[in-house]
Structure formats: structure tokens, C-alpha cells
Amino acid sequence: MKSILAIDDKRSNLITITALINDQMPDCKVLIAMSGKEGIEIAKKEQPDTILLDIIMPEMDGFETCKRLKEDALTKHIPVVLITAFKIDTESRIKGLNIGADAFLSKPIDSSELMAQVNVMLRIKEVEDKLRSEKVALEDIVKKRTIKISEQNRKLQREIIERKQTEEKIKNLSSRNQLILDTTMDGYVLTNLDGKIVDVNPAYCTMIGYSKEELLEMNITDLDAEIKPKEISLKTKQLLSQGYSRNESIQRCKNGKVLNLDMSIGVMHINETPMVFYFIRNITSQKYAEKIQRVLLNISNAAITKDNLIELICSIKDELGTVIDTTNFYIALYNDETDTLSLPFIEDEKDVVTSIPSGNTLTYYVIKTQSTLLATKEKLKELEDLGEVGKYGSDSEIWLGVPLKIKGKVFGVLVVQSYTDEFAYDESDVEILEFISEQISIAIKRKDDEQKLKEAFDKATESDRLKSVFLATMTHELRTPLNAVIGFSEIIKTEDLSIDEIKTFNKTINISGNHLLNIVEDIFEITLIETGELKLAKESVSLQKLLNEVHEFIKIEQQNTEKEHIDLRLKIPPELKKISIETDPLKFKQILINLLKNALKFTPKGSVEYGIIKDHISKEALLKFYVKDTGIGIPKNKREIIFEIFRQVEESHSRTYGGTGIGLSIAKKLTELLGGKIWIDPNFTKGSTFYFTIPYKDKGEDDDGEIRSTKRMGKLKNKTILIVEDNKTSSNYLNFILTKSGAITICAENGEIAVASVEKNAAIEVVLMDLYMPVMDGYEATKRIKSIRPDLPVIAQTAFAVEGDRENALEAGCDDYITKPIKKELLLELIKKYV
Ligand code: ADP
């Protein structure tokens, strides 16, 4: 229902208005107020659709009331119709319009005008209300929208802030990642799926030696020795399915060096493109250390497992070869006692040598300085200029030698060198070699000692064996002739025999005795040589005479050994027949006789030829003698050892040929003592040929050598010879030989009697003086005899084994000497020299 508020201070007016409205608009409610104040109260409260307001009212007139109504938000929308006092009250109307009045009515109020005005106002009010409510609705919508928008706005703001924060975080994170990549020690490489490098970090550049720009032009397969270009797609596929892999690989640096790398490889998406990343750690030194550890271990194992030094060094070379270039490799061992170097092992592209002179070689330099030498060409030149080293062997581009030491003492050098690459070795190789050299030294020293020990053991075993062989041989060699001597002398003594039988048996006894004597002499001789007590008595002798004497002797030997069927020949080139040589004649003859005896012994049939080889003669040079036979020969593998004492080709108990194995070793030692050499022709296949040399000084011809000796050869008939000898048997033996030769003998038992005899008997022409006698010895007696008759020749009888006899005898004044046991031929020959 509509309502109209009428405000008028006059009740009558109010009644009129109420009646009019009730009449015209029965559905409309009329509210009344008697003052402006009351009217405002009611208007606020009841919200009438139109207000009819009288202008003239006490206290608050209609203008004031209208003004307040229009100023109040609760009432300003209510249309106000001002009721003026008279019709044309323009002033009031203007005033009323200014303060917001909507229409005017004038008094007396015309009902139709009132109704018309009221209706208009109601319609306006209705429209206004609608408008207002629409506006409110609109405002509400706007408000709601605004709220929503501002909410959305706030959300957006939040999102923007969050996004900004995230972006900031991401920015921070990626710069942190970049920082990590830039500063990490590990290498980082990013490639596409084809292996093309798209990013690397500084650590990788340092590691591999290429710049970032160079690397960005490369493919990972250009660097990685383990990945072949055609395998990259397969590898990437595997990686894509696994997502991650870790493996060790090998890459080659720009400078050619090979690196061992530990790689973590994975796939990541950058802008939705899959990429392969590599995190790379350089484990070269770790690998190196592992390798070196392995080398050390293997070398120490080899020291135990390898059989000999060569095998050990071979395996050291192979092991070292896993860490450095050992194409040219050798080990030299140093003997500080002899100051010499031996080369047990060498493998070299150019030089094949077996020894190194210890002079001014690089190897010797390392030993001298006791420190490692890395000799580049410049260093070598420097050392050469200083005179520290000289040229030896082929020139190498670089030479590296490390001393091998045990307890600080250098005993060898390990050397590697390159003929092609001057950069083959550097300081790091020096470090490695020095590090490993200790282990190598221990291994080599150990094996060397072991080998020496083994050699000593073998030698001891061998000498033990030889001792047994020697004892067996000796027993046999001594017993056989002794049996003959004892057996046959027994028969002669007891049996009734014919003269011929006695002569035959006697010959056997004599041969056996001589044989025994030879053995005894050989043993004495070798003992003297071995103990260094043998002295040489050199003199100038005619070569022809020496050889003739040997020939005479060996012919007798040939008869005694029943080898007369062997054709024995002595060949002396005519131009040498008259020369004389400076040597010890006895020793010289002994060498030749030993060889000839063997030649006869080991030649069942055929010939034995000996002599001098002409073309080897020169001034201050050597005379070369030979003894050639057509006998059983000597196997090649025995041609060296038979010169060792007691060694024989046949060492079994069932030997075909007798012998003690001493003869050749005496011959060898005597030859060396005389300044020569002895050997067997290594190529001889039929029989054997021995050679020996002795120094020869051209002293001119000795043409009367032979004549002189023949001149001296006089008869002993009626020559008086004094035999001074305390041993009855020996005295009888000498007496028998000399009287048989026609000489007159006088015997004295000691030196005193001898001196007295000389004083008494002027007929004495030669004295045969024993040296060891009771009362007065031979030395003293000789001195005294010489003081009485200085020209009387005195020949001393010396004992073979007694060192110094000969020298002492000569010193005491003896003119010559003869060694006991005295042989008939030699004695007669000697005495004839002096009568
Ligand atoms: P022996 O002859 O007393 O055994 P040697 O030292 O003189 O001792 O010789 C050593 C060994 O050398 C002999 O046993 C023999 O086996 C061998 N031999 C030496 N000379 C000859 C030779 N002319 N022909 C064959 N073998 C020989």
C-alpha cells in the first residue's frame, strides 16, 4: 500500500488533505505530522511515497524541513510537494526548487491538482524506487563483482609474488649451480644425443687441455678412446633407457697424454630437449698408483718365482713396460772389486752388446754419482764437454739411468732409452723409476745372490763328485803300477826264471815305477802351482835343442807305452831351427810332453804330429805350437772343461784309458805362467789338435846351440865323480849308473866327508851333491868345496816338492841341479855337460 505523509501545523489542513486523499485514493494510507521535526521523524521511519509539506510552519518551516529531508540519505529519495500560501509565489517556488522540492501546490488546495500532483509524485517515486532498487541491485552486483575481481586480483598478486619468488629462487639456484660447475674440480660436459659437445666447465678444459671454444667444436668421440663414433647412438639409447650410468674411460689430452677417467653419465631435459651430461673425475694418478703397486707386487713375486736372473730381469722389463717405455732396456751390474760392469740383460733396437766398459760411459757415471741421470741431448752434450762421459754405443734421443742400491751401496744401473722420441721420459718417469728401483734392487740382488749360492752349491756338489771320481781314479792309477812292481819283483825274487824272463818282468817293473813317479810328480807340480809356490827359472835356450830333447823323451815314452806303430813327427820350419827363446826350459818341455803323452795315449793308430806354426811369429809376439793327433778326439762340450783339474772326458769307473786328469791342467797353468795360452782347435773333427803359445822375443840366431851341446858331450870314461849322498840306496843307484858309464866314483855320506874328499883328491871332476844330510848339509858343503876349488862343478840333487831348493842350491854355488828321482839319461847328459 502507498502512503502519503502530510506535514502541516494546522490540523484543519491536515484533515482536508487526509479526506481528499482518502476519497480519491482509498488504497493509500495518509500519515500526518504537525511539525517539520515530527514529519522528518515519521518520514525516516515510515518511508512514505510522497510528502506534502506546508511551507509556513512555526519553528521549522517547510523549506527547512525539505532541506533536511533532502539532505538525509534515508529521506532524500522521497518526493516532496511544497504547499505554498498563494498560487503564484515564484520566490517560494525558486527557493523550494533550490533546496530540492519536487513539486508545488498552492492553497487552497485543489483536490484534482492535489491528486494529480500526488499521482505524479507517486509514479515518480515508484520509478525512482525501482530505479533505486535496480541501482542497489546493480550496485550489489558491481560490489560482488568487485569483490570477486579484487579477490581474483589478490590471488593473481599472490601468484605473481610467488612466481617472482620462484623465479628469484630459480635464478639463485642456477647461478649457484653455475658457480658449482665453474669451481668444482670435476669436469662437466654436456652433449646432445649425437655426442656433440654443447657445454663444458673450466675444470674439464684444464683436465683435457683444450679451450672451451675448441671443445664446443668437437664431439665426445673425438676425445673418448672408449667410444667409437658409430657406437654413440647405441650408447645414448642405453643411457636413455637406464637414465644414468657410471663407468671408467680413457680420454686423450690435447698434448697426447692419456687420462684415466671416472665418469657419471646421465640424461637431463633442457627446454624439453634430452641432453647427455658427463661428470668426469680424473683418476689417472690413482690408476697410476694402482699400476705401480701392481708392478711392485709382480716384481717381488717374480723374484720368488723366476728361476734365474735373466728370467727375472725379463719380467721386470715387462712389468715396467706397463708404466714406461722399455723398448730399449738394460741392466748393468757393477763389481766394485774389479771396477767392471757386466750386462746380464739387454734389449735394444740398435746396440747388441754384452758388456760395457766402465770408463767414462753414462752407465758408469750413474754408478760414480750414485744418482739418477735423465740425459737429454743437451745434458749429454754438457757432460761430454765437461769430459764426464765419452761416446759409447748409438746416440739416443733421451737416456734415463737409475742406480740400483742395497743399503745405500750401488751395485748396478737400470737404463731405458729412446732412439726416436726425445720426450719419451720426463721427471715423472724419473720419480716412478726411483720409486720402483728399490724393489727392483732387492729382487735383482736376491736373485743374483741366490744364483751365486746355487752356482756355489753346484760347484760344491760337482767338486764333491769330482773328488769321488778323483779318489777312485787315483786308487786305480796308483794300485795298478804298484801291483806290477810288487808282483813282478816278488816273482823275480822267488821264482827260478830265465834271464829273458827277468828282463821282461824288470821292464814292466821299470815302466810301472816310472808311471808311479809321473803321478807323484804331477801331484807335486799341481800343488806347487796351486799354492803359488812354483817359481820360473827362465833362460835363453835354443828352440831346436828344446824340441829335440822333447822328441828324444817322447820316443822313449812311445816305446814304453807300446805306441811305436804311431807315426810321430816333429815339424820345425827351417827358418826357426836356429832361434833361441827366453823361457823356463823345463816347464816348456813339460807342457809339450804332457800334450804329446796324451796324443799318444788317445791315438790307437795313425799319427801324432807336433811343431811350430810359422805364420804367427813376429817380433815381441807369440810362438804358436801345436800337437795334432788322429786319435779318438774330444767331444765339443768337453773341450773347455778338460783343462780343469781332475776332469776327463770319460769319468766312469770303466774307463778305457788310464790317467788322473791332472796333465792338461798342469799344461794350462804352466802355459799361463810362461805368458801364453792353451786351447783345443774348436773345429777339429778328426782326432784332436792342441795349440799353445809362449812369448817370443827375437834374440837373433843361436846357431851354435846344438854344436855347443854336442861339443860338451864327452865320454865319462875314467872321469872321477864324487857322489855325496847319505841314503844308501840312492848312493848305490847313482854309483851303479855312473860306473856302468865308465866313470870312477867316490862316495861320501855327508858334507864333511865330501869336503875332505875334495881336499884330498884333485882328480875329482864333478860333484853330485845331495842337499839334506846329517853332520853337514849340501849347502854348506858346496860353499866349502867352492872355496877350495872354485872351478869344480857341483850338481845339486834337489827334491821336486821342496820349494826353494833349486834357488838355494844355485845361491850356495852349485852349477846345476837335477831333480830326484834321478833318471839315468838325464843324469848322464848333465854330467857330460861338465866333464
Ligand atoms: P789324463 O790324460 O791323465 O786323464 P789330462 O789332464 O792330461 O789327464 O787329460 C784330461 C782328459 O782330456 C783326458 O782324460 C782325456 O779324456 C782328454 N784328452 C786329453 N788329450 C787328449 C787327446 N789328445 N785326445 C783325446 N782326448 C784327450
Side-chain angles (χ1 to χ4, degrees), residues 280-406:
I280 301 167
R281 182 160 294 185
N282 187 354
I283 52 167
T284 313
S285 5
Q286 186 186 322
K287 283 270 158 190
Y288 225 63
E290 279 171 16
K291 250 187 212 171
I292 287 169
Q293 285 304 326
R294 209 168 38 242
V295 168
L296 287 176
L297 185 74
N298 290 348
I299 289 175
S300 65
N301 279 344
I304 300 163
T305 54
K306 296 297 168 193
D307 281 343
N308 57 51
L309 191 60
I310 307 296
E311 272 183 35
L312 170 71
I313 299 177
C314 248
S315 100
I316 289 175
K317 178 191 173 287
D318 293 345
E319 285 301 330
L320 261 189
T322 62
V323 281
I324 60 168
D325 178 8
T326 54
T327 314
N328 298 292
F329 171 98
Y330 68 84
I331 279 183
L333 296 182
Y334 178 64
N335 183 334
D336 58 352
E337 280 166 21
T338 54
D339 193 26
T340 50
L341 283 167
S342 63
L343 208 61
F345 184 92
I346 178 164
E347 219 168 271
D348 199 280
E349 292 167 313
K350 293 202 175 177
D351 297 333
V352 184
V353 288
T354 48
S355 69
I356 297 182
S358 45
N360 57 349
T361 58
L362 283 170
T363 316
Y364 192 63
Y365 182 79
V366 172
I367 284 170
K368 215 169 59 185
T369 56
Q370 309 211 347
S371 47
T372 304
L373 173 66
L374 177 64
T376 54
K377 285 209 148 175
E378 299 79 67
K379 178 76 187 172
L380 199 62
K381 170 100 189 29
E382 193 185 303
L383 290 173
E384 276 173 11
D385 290 347
L386 287 170
E388 294 282 4
V389 299
K391 284 230 173 288
Y392 182 72
S394 307
D395 281 349
S396 55
E397 289 295 318
I398 191 157
W399 189 99
L400 171 56
V402 182
L404 301 175
K405 296 180 193 170
I406 290 283

Side-chain angles (χ1 to χ4, degrees), residues 598 601-602 629 633-634 642 647-649 659-661 663-664 688 690:
N598 276 343
K601 182 160 82 174
F602 295 105
D629 65 53
I634 300 163
I642 51 158
R647 300 306 298 264
Q648 296 173 310
V649 171
T660 53
L664 280 185
S688 321
F690 283 77

